[in-house]
C-alpha cells in the first residue's frame, strides 16, 4: 500500500517562513499562488512581459514581477509552465537567477525525469502534484476541502526536503484530502500512460471508432453521437462516484450483461499488448523525445494530428447536438475561441 500523509503530518510554518515564486499563472499556477497566499505564505508570481495573466494576478491581489526578478526572491521556485517550454525557461530565465540553495518545485515530473532540466546539486528538487485541474484545487480550498496530491522528493540537498514538500502540500489544501508518496519516475510514467492509453488517447479513439462503425452501418450520425459520446459522461460519473461496480449496478441488466460478454471482444489481449508497447515508449523516453523534438521544430506533427482530429465527422455532429441543450448554450465557446488563438 502507498504511504500517505495528512494534515497532522505537516508543519505549515515551514512554508510560511519562505518566499515562494510561482512561475506561471495558468490553471495550476493561479490555484497554487492563491491558496498559498491564503495560507499565510509570501508569494510572488513570475510572468513574462506582456502576459495576459499579469492583470488577472494583480486583480487577485498578488505581487507580479518578471520571471527573473521573481526567481531572485524565491526560496522556493515553483515551475508551472507547460512541459515543452520548461527546459528553455529554466536555462534562460530561472537557473541564472536562482538563489543558492533555493528549492525547485514541480507539479509534473516530465522535465526532471527525462533529463531536460538538470538542477545543480545544491537545490532540493520536489513535487506536489494535485490530482485535479487548477480551478478544482482552488474551489475545494475555498470550500474548506482539498484535492488529493502526489508528493515526492527527487533531490534532498538540504536534508529538509520532506518537511518542505509536506508543508507546501498542506498550504495548497492537498493534505485535507491526503497525499500519496511517490517518485518523479512513477508519477511521470503513470501519468503519461493514463493519458495516452485510457483517458485521452484510448477514450477518444474508442468514441471515434464507435461513431464510425454505426454511421458506416447506416445509422444516423445524430443517433451514433448520442450512443457513443453523449452518454459517456453518465457512465464516467457513475464510475467516479463508486467505481466500475457502481456503474454496473446502476445500469440495466442488459447493459451489464453486454459489458461482460462484449467488452473483452473489443478490448482483447492484443489491446493490452499495444498498451505495453506504449508504456515501453514512455519508460525509455521514446515518447518524450518525439514530443520535444516535434515541439522544437514548430510542432508540425502535433498541429497536423490536431487538425485531423478536429476534422473528424463526430465534431460537426456533436456541435449540432450540443446546440440543442438549452442548459449549455455556450458549451463550445471556450474551446472554439481558444482554437482560433492557438
Amino acid at each position: 500500500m502507498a504511504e500517505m500523509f495528512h494534515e497532522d503530518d505537516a508543519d505549515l510554518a515551514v512554508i510560511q517562513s519562505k518566499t515562494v515564486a510561482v512561475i506561471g499563472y495558468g490553471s495550476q499556477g493561479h490555484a497554487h499562488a492563491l491558496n498559498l497566499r491564503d495560507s499565510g505564505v509570501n508569494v510572488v508570481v513570475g510572468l513574462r512581459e506582456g502576459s495576459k495573466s499579469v492583470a488577472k494576478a494583480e486583480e487577485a491581489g498578488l505581487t507580479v514581477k518578471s520571471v527573473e526578478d521573481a526567481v531572485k526572491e524565491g526560496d522556493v521556485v515553483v515551475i508551472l509552465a507547460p512541459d515543452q517550454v520548461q527546459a528553455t525557461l529554466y536555462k534562460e530565465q530561472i537557473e541564472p537567477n536562482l538563489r543558492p540553495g533555493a528549492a525547485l518545485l514541480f507539479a509534473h515530473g516530465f522535465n526532471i525525469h527525462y533529463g531536460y532540466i538538470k538542477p545543480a546539486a545544491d537545490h532540493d528538487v520536489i513535487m506536489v502534484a494535485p490530482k485535479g485541474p487548477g480551478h478544482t484545487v482552488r474551489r475545494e480550498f475555498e470550500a474548506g476541502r482539498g484535492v488529493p496530491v502526489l508528493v515526492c522528493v527527487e533531490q534532498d540537498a538540504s536534508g529538509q526536503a520532506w518537511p518542505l514538500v509536506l508543508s507546501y502540500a498542506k498550504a495548497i489544501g492537498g493534505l485535507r484530502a491526503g497525499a500519496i508518496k511517490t517518485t518523479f519516475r512513477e508519477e511521470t510514467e503513470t501519468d503519461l500512460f493514463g493519458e495516452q492509453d485510457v483517458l485521452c488517447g484510448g477514450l477518444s479513439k474508442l468514441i471515434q471508432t464507435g461513431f464510425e462503425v454505426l454511421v458506416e452501418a447506416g445509422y444516423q450520425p445524430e443517433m451514433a453521437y448520442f450512443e457513443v459520446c453523449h452518454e459517456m459522461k453518465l457512465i464516467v460519473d457513475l464510475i467516479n462516484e463508486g467505481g466500475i461496480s457502481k456503474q454496473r449496478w446502476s445500469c440495466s441488466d442488459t447493459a451489464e450483461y453486454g459489458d461482460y460478454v462484449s467488452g473483452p471482444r473489443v478490448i482483447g489481449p492484443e489491446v493490452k499488448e499495444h498498451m505495453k508497447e506504449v508504456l515501453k515508449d514512455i519508460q525509455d523516453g521514446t515518447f518524450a523525445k518525439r514530443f520535444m523534438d516535434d515541439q522544437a521544430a514548430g510542432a508540425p506533427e502535433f498541429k497536423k494530428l490536431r487538425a485531423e482530429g478536429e476534422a473528424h465527422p463526430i465534431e460537426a455532429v456533436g456541435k449540432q447536438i450540443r446546440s440543442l441543450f438549452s442548459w449549455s448554450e455556450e458549451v463550445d465557446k471556450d474551446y472554439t475561441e481558444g482554437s482560433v488563438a492557438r
Side-chain angles (χ1 to χ4, degrees):
M1 293 293 290
E3 184 176 353
M4 295 195 66
F5 303 98
H6 300 282
E7 291 255 88
D8 292 343
D9 295 313
D11 181 1
L12 197 57
V14 174
I15 195 67
Q16 288 175 332
S17 69
K18 312 287 186 182
T19 293
V20 177
V22 176
I23 309 304
Y25 199 73
S27 176
Q28 289 293 334
H30 92 281
H32 286 236
L34 293 172
N35 291 5
L36 288 165
R37 189 270 311 276
D38 291 350
S39 291
V41 180
N42 182 36
V43 177
V44 57
V45 175
L47 293 169
R48 59 178 174 77
E49 186 178 348
S51 170
K52 295 179 180 178
S53 296
V54 171
K56 295 178 183 177
E58 290 179 340
E59 286 171 10
L62 293 163
T63 299
V64 180
K65 298 191 176 184
S66 67
V67 172
E68 294 87 346
D69 287 344
V71 170
K72 289 175 183 177
E73 292 190 19
D75 300 305
V76 180
V77 177
V78 187
I79 303 177
L80 297 176
D83 289 334
Q84 64 268 36
V85 304
Q86 283 189 16
T88 301
L89 179 69
Y90 182 78
K91 181 179 180 181
E92 296 179 357
Q93 296 173 276
I94 295 177
E95 187 175 31
N97 296 292
L98 276 174
R99 300 176 64 174
L104 292 164
L105 188 145
F106 297 80
H108 180 40
F110 185 98
N111 278 276
I112 293 294
H113 176 54
Y114 292 117
Y116 290 100
I117 293 177
K118 298 179 179 179
D122 65 327
H123 300 290
D124 288 347
V125 180
I126 59 181
M127 186 195 308
V128 177
K131 299 310 292 178
H135 68 268
T136 305
V137 173
R138 179 58 179 164
R139 183 191 69 212
E140 292 301 291
F141 180 91
E142 291 181 299
R145 301 184 295 263
V147 171
V149 295
L150 304 180
V151 292
C152 41
V153 172
E154 180 78 3
Q155 184 167 285
D156 188 0
S158 68
Q160 297 298 312
W162 274 111
L164 176 60
V165 76
L166 292 177
S167 184
Y168 185 99
K170 183 173 183 174
I172 66 168
L175 298 194
R176 296 173 181 175
I180 297 175
K181 183 179 181 181
T182 183
T183 65
F184 270 64
R185 173 183 175 273
E186 184 176 55
E187 184 277 334
T188 302
E189 293 178 1
T190 57
D191 184 74
L192 294 177
F193 177 84
E195 291 170 350
Q196 294 174 33
D197 275 329
V198 181
L199 305 176
C200 299
L203 182 59
S204 298
K205 203 63 184 176
L206 190 65
I207 291 171
Q208 289 176 334
T209 304
F211 179 86
E212 292 167 6
V213 168
L214 285 177
V215 173
E216 289 167 9
Y219 299 102
Q220 297 180 82
E222 293 81 4
M223 293 296 295
Y225 179 84
F226 270 116
E227 297 305 327
V228 305
C229 187
H230 174 72
E231 293 188 20
M232 182 70 71
K233 182 180 187 303
L234 309 178
I235 298 300
V236 171
D237 283 350
L238 288 168
I239 293 173
N240 189 56
E241 290 172 12
I244 294 173
S245 292
K246 181 170 183 178
Q247 174 259 313
R248 288 170 170 165
W249 171 81
S250 300
C251 67
S252 68
D253 287 349
T254 312
E256 184 180 357
Y257 183 71
D259 176 343
Y260 297 138
V261 301
S262 299
R265 295 176 65 188
V266 177
I267 309 298
E270 70 283 359
V271 174
K272 189 172 183 179
E273 291 307 309
H274 291 316
M275 284 185 167
K276 290 179 180 179
E277 293 170 5
V278 171
L279 179 58
K280 181 177 181 297
D281 284 350
I282 291 169
Q283 291 172 327
D284 65 18
T286 299
F287 168 77
K289 185 176 188 305
R290 179 176 176 177
F291 172 68
M292 294 295 276
D293 287 352
D294 183 59
Q295 289 289 315
E301 183 182 37
F302 181 74
K303 291 174 182 176
K304 175 177 177 289
L305 294 172
R306 172 186 278 168
E308 289 174 354
E310 291 175 344
H312 192 282
I314 198 173
E315 297 302 324
V317 175
K319 187 173 184 180
Q320 174 193 351
I321 293 296
R322 291 190 296 273
S323 70
L324 304 177
F325 303 154
S326 60
W327 61 89
S328 56
E329 225 173 273
E330 299 296 318
V331 70
D332 288 325
K333 185 176 180 181
D334 54 354
Y335 84 89
T336 52
E337 288 185 345
S339 65
V340 172
R342 68 189 182 190

